[in-house]
Amino acid sequence: MHTLIFATNNKNKVAEIQSLVGPDFTIIPLLEAGIDIDIPEPHETLQENAFEKASTIHSITNQNCFSEDTGLEIEALNGAPGVKSARYAGEGRDFQANIDKVLQSLNDIDYRTAQFRTVICLLWQDAENILQTHYFEGICKGRIAYEMQGDKGFGYDPIFIPDGSDKSFAEMSMEEKNVFSHRKKAVTQLFEFLQTK
Ligand code: ITT
């Protein structure tokens, strides 16, 4: 049995990852661990931000933990919003404003190829008590819809249609989203790694 703190304040991420956890793992979200802080994400890469979040929580708890940073990368916008996805339309981290800005930026552009990319950072104390850092990445390729579709999920889900589907993530149940999901792919690698421990 592995117990891991998940260094996030995003309840939707917690719900998605809880839905993937098997009996061998216990995931403890920050609020359940009694930690109520907004961890900064100041860096230029998902990997650096993920490390920042995991290392901040490890320094507080001294326990095994992981974090993840996710970006929506749109080819016609040279990879934007990318690492700035949470604050694309400003510091308010407003889902609707972020979606409006993406749709506005792609106005009159039919080339709508995009991907979600998730980077997980695991800080793990090995059997010799040495702290190891491991990264796991998951990518979901797809396209940006012309308008919002569906009301499930969170963030950019209403405008992202994964390859292999005609539905946006916001038109899917969590189980359907997991068939395609960037997060599912990264978490699967994390669990596979932990199963070898
Ligand atoms: P933590 O840093 O506390 O984990 P956050 O919401 O700040 O939570 P990110 O920086 O990783 O998380 O998220 C970047 C943005 O991308 C943010 O606006 C999310 O809503 C959005 N996002 C992340 N995963 C998504 C998904 O699976 N579907 C749609 N939008 C997503």
Side-chain angles (χ1 to χ4, degrees):
M1 166 73 83
H2 294 301
T3 300
L4 285 174
I5 297 181
F6 182 16
T8 184
N9 289 313
N10 183 320
K11 293 191 177 101
N12 301 92
K13 288 184 181 179
V14 174
E16 286 190 5
I17 289 182
Q18 294 279 21
S19 79
L20 302 170
V21 173
D24 295 341
F25 301 95
T26 304
I27 303 294
I28 304 175
L30 283 187
L31 273 183
E32 249 178 61
I35 299 168
D36 185 10
I37 56 169
D38 193 21
I39 308 166
E41 298 174 69
H43 302 291
E44 291 303 317
T45 65
L46 298 175
Q47 185 162 337
E48 288 170 291
N49 280 338
F51 179 77
E52 180 88 29
K53 292 188 258 192
S55 59
T56 300
I57 296 310
H58 188 269
S59 65
I60 294 171
T61 63
N62 211 26
Q63 288 187 48
N64 291 332
C65 65
F66 72 100
S67 68
E68 63 110 289
D69 206 38
T70 295
L72 175 62
E73 301 171 336
I74 301 173
E75 287 198 8
L77 303 179
N78 297 318
V83 71
K84 307 285 180 216
S85 291
R87 296 175 173 80
Y88 190 42
E91 283 305 310
R93 305 166 68 103
D94 180 332
F95 290 169
Q96 187 63 54
N98 287 339
I99 286 176
D100 290 346
K101 185 167 176 186
V102 167
L103 292 178
Q104 187 60 43
S105 304
L106 290 178
N107 199 19
D108 294 332
I109 299 177
D110 286 328
Y111 182 59
R112 304 179 80 90
T113 302
Q115 65 180 25
F116 271 115
R117 194 156 64 88
T118 291
V119 174
I120 287 178
C121 175
L122 169 71
L123 290 184
W124 175 260
Q125 201 100 26
D126 70 11
E128 283 81 41
N129 269 342
I130 295 168
L131 187 64
Q132 299 181 2
T133 306
H134 295 277
Y135 295 96
F136 308 92
E137 183 180 83
I139 289 176
C140 175
K141 291 181 182 294
R143 63 186 191 277
I144 303 298
Y146 285 89
E147 56 189 29
M148 290 176 66
Q149 297 174 205
D151 55 12
K152 299 190 185 73
F154 69 103
Y156 297 94
D157 280 346
I159 57 167
F160 185 82
I161 302 171
D163 286 351
S165 177
D166 291 329
K167 290 201 264 184
S168 79
F169 272 162
E171 294 174 300
M172 298 181 184
S173 65
M174 203 181 288
E175 290 69 28
E176 285 177 282
K177 180 177 173 182
N178 280 339
V179 172
F180 303 96
S181 158
H182 42 294
R183 181 162 297 106
K184 162 79 188 293
K185 289 173 187 157
V187 168
T188 299
Q189 290 171 47
L190 167 70
F191 290 167
E192 280 170 3
F193 170 83
L194 291 173
Q195 249 140 10
T196 66
K197 298 290 147 193

